[in-house]
Amino acid sequence: MKKKFTDDLELKEEIISQLKIIKDEYGKPYCPCVNPELYTDDKVCPCKEFREEIPIGEECHCGLWIKIEE
């Protein structure tokens, strides 16, 4: 699977900032769209759902990643 960051620089900066805060607090960069009570290794960014279920050309829930053709 290949992926790229969103072209929306403001969104990218905001989400990366949130991922850093989450990593500092919880030890891993869990998806910022997920309730902290549901954090598992499947929710580490980019989450398992994005890696396995999101089709090419689509973005993840928060919009940080876009799946691209290999």
Side-chain angles (χ1 to χ4, degrees):
M1 175 200 73
K2 289 184 90 173
K3 61 190 180 304
K4 71 172 189 162
F5 282 123
T6 179
D7 294 331
D8 183 333
L9 297 179
E10 187 175 328
L11 177 65
K12 180 174 113 179
E13 289 176 10
E14 175 63 27
I15 295 171
I16 289 174
S17 172
Q18 290 298 315
L19 288 168
K20 182 181 179 339
I21 291 167
I22 292 167
K23 184 177 181 187
D24 290 347
E25 186 168 341
Y26 295 96
K28 293 183 180 180
Y30 296 105
C31 176
C33 299
V34 176
N35 180 328
E37 294 175 5
L38 302 176
Y39 285 166
T40 65
D41 284 345
D42 288 349
K43 302 300 182 187
V44 173
C45 183
C47 69
K48 180 179 179 181
E49 183 178 349
F50 174 75
R51 293 188 319 264
E52 295 182 1
E53 298 174 25
I54 301 294
I56 291 172
E58 297 292 320
E59 61 186 35
C60 65
H61 295 292
C62 62
L64 177 63
W65 296 106
I66 300 169
K67 192 178 279 188
I68 58 174
E69 203 62 59
E70 290 195 42

